[in-house]
Each structure stands twice: as structure tokens, then as C-alpha cells.
Amino acid sequence: MVDVKHLKLIVEIDRLGSLSRASKELNLTQSALSHQLKNLEEYLGISVFHRVGNQLLFTEAGKELRDKAKHMMTEFEALELKIQEIKASQLKRYVHGYSQQEAQRLADQASTVAEYLHYDSIWEEESRILEVGCGVGAQTEIIAQANPKSQFVSIDISANSLEIARAKIEEQQIQNVEFRLQDARKMSKEKDGLFDHVFICFLLEHLSTPVELLKALKHLIKPGGTITVIEGDHGSTFFHPDNAFAQKVVSAQVALQRKRGGNANIGRALYPFLNEAGYKNIAVSPRQIYVDGSKPKLVEGFIKNTFTAMIQGMSEGILSEGVLTKSDLQEGIRGLLRTAESDGVFSYTFFKARAIV
Ligand SMILES: C[S@@+](CC[C@H](N)C(=O)[O-])C[C@H]1O[C@@H](n2cnc3c(N)ncnc32)[C@H](O)[C@@H]1O
């Protein structure tokens, strides 16, 4: 069958004018290149080249093929560029973005709420665990350290985030994590039962079809293995002193995420979604983060550096999508920060679900 490899070969020989230069360019030995040409000619039943000494001259049929091949390679390159562009715009649509501040916020969030979310993130020794959407590795370092005898494969679609994650894991001298640039929605060709367990944190909220992802991951888990999913739910937010602008800001964040295809209130839907995806023995455990003046670490780490920082990080999106006016947004952020004073109270609930495949 003629494939892209053959077309590329013809185009390169034409461009470079000799077999030896084309073989270098294509990283092939000259004999491998000659062999591929022979195969192509045999398959087509035509001669593509006259061989005159060391030179290759296109036959009339070869010229036709060359011109068609050039056209198709141009189309092919345009397609590759288009795919790159689509990928980049998908990343842009990712509501939290990939800024340095967001990397810091994810780290603050993970360490602040670790004891609430991860006291039971323990799998049996020697497990192989797939972490989906690991980002900058904020959860990775916690769960990898808590399970030193298990092996983690942590994937993400952001190469930059993975670089930060790798550096962090190396710095901590954590040995049981392998990072991979991989789209979780494209793992259908991976072997069945490759992992004992799957772990997902704060990813489903960004997907327009979370159930599809949950279904797509099932075949990767060994029979009897588990999936663990942690997500937030902005509808669970309440605070004192109450403030209409602060409430508006939280709703604006939910609206923006919905506009971008996600669901910031997904925590409450973990049970039905896992059920729809066909998982068994689903157990959902709400993890309430209740903060008042007696918990200065949470005031700093959660109210300021996690929740309000998240809203601040999304300000540009909220304003550019016209979800809220600038003055309402500023007033709302002031209202959220007000709850961090000594008489303030803030509550938010995460949902952690575990199910068997
Ligand atoms: C909010 S971050 C959470 C990161 C990390 N789990 C944490 O809790 O700190 C969501 C991550 O999911 C990644 N992501 C989004 N879609 C993905 C996909 N289809 N496959 C793999 N990763 C994806 C994003 O690039 C981002 O790094």
C-alpha cells in the first residue's frame, strides 16, 4: 500500500537530488531507501526512476507521482499544523490556565488540604497506579510519598506542567513516578489491565464529557482494581460575613467554566457519573474544609491562597467573557478576603469517590 512514508521519500529525493542525501535526511541507510523504492515500484507496477549511474531521474509516470506526492505532503503538513493549533486552543480554553501563579496555587491547594483529601489515599504495596491529569505534580508528590512501594504513571496534556512536575519530584528524590505526555482520552490502544488503580484529581470538572473519560479508562484497570476521583463543588461554598458580590463572583466562576465546557459543581455528580460509566461499589465521601479564625493555616492556605487565588487567576477570563463587570469582580474578591479576618468563616466541600471496575 502507498503510504505517507513513500510520498515523503519521493518528495525528498526530488528536493535533494540524490539518494545518498535523501537517505541522510530521512535517517535511513541507502540500502533501506533503495529497498523501499523497489517495493513501491513493484507495488505500483511502474518505474518511478531511471537509474543513470548514481543519479535517479524521474520517469514520466514518476513525475506525475512526484507532483501528486508534493501536493499531498503540503496538505499533510497543513493538517499537522492545524492539529497543533487545535491543541493549543484547547489548552487556552482550560479555565485555570498554566501560569506560574496557577502552578503555585495548585501546590498551595494540595498541601493545604492534603490531610483532608489524602489520609486514605493508600493502595496496597506494589500497585501500579495511573494518575490522570497530574498537572504540576501537586498531588503526585503527596500520593507517591505515601505509597513508596507502588509505581505511579502520571500523565498530562501540558508539556510545561510535566516539566515542573518532573523537577519537583526529582528535587524531592521521589523514585516511584514516571511522567508521560499523554491525552487521557486517547488511551484506547493501551493494553487492558495495565494498572491496578486509577487516580484523578480536579480534572473531570474541566471536561465536557467526563463520563466518556471514566468509561475510556475502565479497560486500563485490572479486574477488581479501583478508580479514585477527587473533585470540588463550588455550590458547596458558604461564608460569613455573607456578601452578595462574593456570591456573584463564585457564580461567575461556575458560569465561565460552563462556557468553556466544564462543570465547577461536579463534586455532587460523582456517584451518578461513575455509575453511568459502569463502575461498581461506588462510595462517595464529602470532605468539608471548614475554616474560622481558630485555623490560621487554613485561613492563609485555603481562603486566601486556594479559593480566592483561583478566582483572582480567572479574573481575565471572567472579564473577557463578560460574565461580570470589573467593579463587581473587585467587590466580590474583597468580600471573599473579608471572610479571612478573625471573625470570618469559610466552608467548601470536596468530594472523594472510590469505585471498583
Ligand atoms: C486543575 S489541573 C489539576 C492538576 C492536579 N491533578 C492537581 O490536583 O493539582 C487539571 C489538569 O488536567 C490536565 N488535563 C486536561 N485534560 C486532560 C486530558 N485529556 N488528558 C490528560 N490531562 C488532562 C490539564 O492539563 C491540567 O494539568
Side-chain angles (χ1 to χ4, degrees):
M1 208 181 137
V2 182
D3 66 16
V4 178
K5 174 180 79 186
H6 293 123
L7 301 182
K8 200 166 178 182
L9 210 107
I10 290 169
V11 171
E12 284 309 297
I13 292 173
D14 180 50
R15 186 171 73 87
L16 298 164
S18 87
L19 207 66
S20 62
R21 283 163 69 187
S23 64
K24 262 192 206 135
E25 184 73 22
L26 295 167
N27 250 339
L28 288 170
T29 61
Q30 260 200 59
S31 75
L33 185 57
S34 300
H35 189 69
Q36 286 192 16
L37 279 177
K38 210 163 147 249
N39 277 351
L40 177 66
E41 289 187 319
E42 273 174 13
Y43 172 77
L44 294 173
I46 56 167
S47 293
V48 179
F49 298 102
H50 297 298
R51 287 158 178 83
V52 183
N54 251 354
Q55 261 197 311
L56 286 178
L57 301 174
F58 283 98
T59 61
E60 280 313 306
K63 281 181 191 165
E64 266 189 59
L65 191 65
R66 174 198 62 195
D67 293 345
K68 196 83 192 147
K70 273 187 184 169
H71 176 72
M72 289 175 78
M73 285 310 294
T74 312
E75 289 286 314
F76 197 75
E77 276 158 20
L79 177 66
E80 279 189 328
L81 281 176
K82 190 77 215 156
I83 291 169
Q84 297 290 344
E85 239 176 65
I86 293 169
K87 271 192 184 161
S89 70
Q90 274 178 349
L91 291 182
K92 254 197 216 149
R93 286 182 67 76
Y94 168 53
V95 83
H96 296 314
Y98 294 96
S99 63
Q100 232 178 335
Q101 290 93 313
E102 175 58 11
Q104 184 58 49
R105 190 191 72 83
L106 286 169
D108 287 341
Q109 167 175 262
S111 61
T112 303
V113 299
E115 60 185 289
Y116 295 83
L117 301 186
H118 291 307
Y119 65 82
D120 55 352
S121 293
I122 304 293
W123 294 270
E124 71 277 6
E125 289 186 359
E126 314 294 337
S127 295
R128 236 178 107 69
I129 299 158
L130 173 69
E131 184 193 9
V132 183
C134 61
V136 294
Q139 314 294 340
T140 317
E141 64 175 327
I142 298 168
I143 55 178
Q145 277 173 324
N147 295 272
K149 298 237 164 91
S150 291
Q151 282 302 321
F152 289 81
V153 173
S154 297
I155 63 166
D156 204 281
I157 47 167
S158 160
N160 274 352
S161 301
L162 286 175
E163 241 176 72
I164 298 173
R166 271 194 199 101
K168 191 197 314 253
I169 290 301
E170 259 172 42
E171 192 188 310
Q172 309 257 355
Q173 301 189 336
I174 297 170
Q175 309 282 350
N176 55 337
V177 184
E178 180 197 330
F179 290 103
R180 286 188 201 159
L181 184 62
Q182 165 93 56
D183 187 332
R185 293 164 299 186
K186 296 192 183 136
M187 296 185 77
S188 58
K189 290 200 181 116
E190 300 282 340
K191 264 208 215 139
D192 288 349
L194 212 49
F195 297 96
D196 298 295
H197 306 286
V198 164
F199 173 80
I200 306 177
C201 189
F202 308 147
L203 163 62
L204 297 187
E205 59 167 319
H206 299 294
L207 305 181
S208 51
T209 52
V211 176
E212 291 315 306
L213 179 70
L214 292 173
K215 280 184 190 164
L217 293 171
K218 268 176 84 181
H219 81 101
L220 296 171
I221 309 172
K222 280 186 190 151
T226 66
I227 185 165
T228 299
V229 185
I230 301 176
E231 296 288 340
D233 190 316
H234 290 4
S236 71
T237 315
F238 61 81
F239 37 78
H240 173 84
D242 206 355
N243 180 310
F245 288 101
Q247 281 181 13
K248 260 194 195 178
V249 160
V250 179
S251 304
Q253 205 275 348
V254 174
L256 178 65
Q257 202 155 328
R258 196 180 306 119
K259 266 188 157 201
R260 305 245 171 123
N263 176 7
N265 292 339
I266 198 168
R268 70 191 72 177
L270 290 187
Y271 182 92
F273 284 0
L274 283 160
N275 195 34
E276 192 184 335
Y279 290 88
K280 307 269 174 275
N281 294 27
I282 308 160
V284 178
S285 148
R287 310 276 160 111
Q288 185 187 18
I289 314 292
Y290 168 81
V291 192
D292 62 27
S294 70
K295 301 173 180 183
K297 257 175 81 181
L298 283 177
V299 168
E300 205 57 33
F302 195 74
I303 303 182
K304 291 186 187 170
N305 296 343
T306 297
F307 196 87
T308 312
M310 172 187 69
I311 301 284
Q312 284 166 325
M314 292 174 59
S315 297
E316 216 182 292
I318 289 177
L319 295 175
S320 69
E321 299 263 2
V323 186
L324 212 62
T325 66
K326 193 170 178 184
S327 64
D328 281 6
L329 176 65
Q330 285 169 343
E331 193 64 35
I333 289 174
R334 269 196 292 278
L336 288 174
L337 289 173
R338 169 69 184 85
T339 70
E341 289 177 23
S342 57
D343 61 345
V345 170
F346 193 96
S347 178
Y348 186 91
T349 304
F350 293 99
F351 291 80
K352 179 168 184 174
R354 186 165 293 188
I356 294 177
V357 73

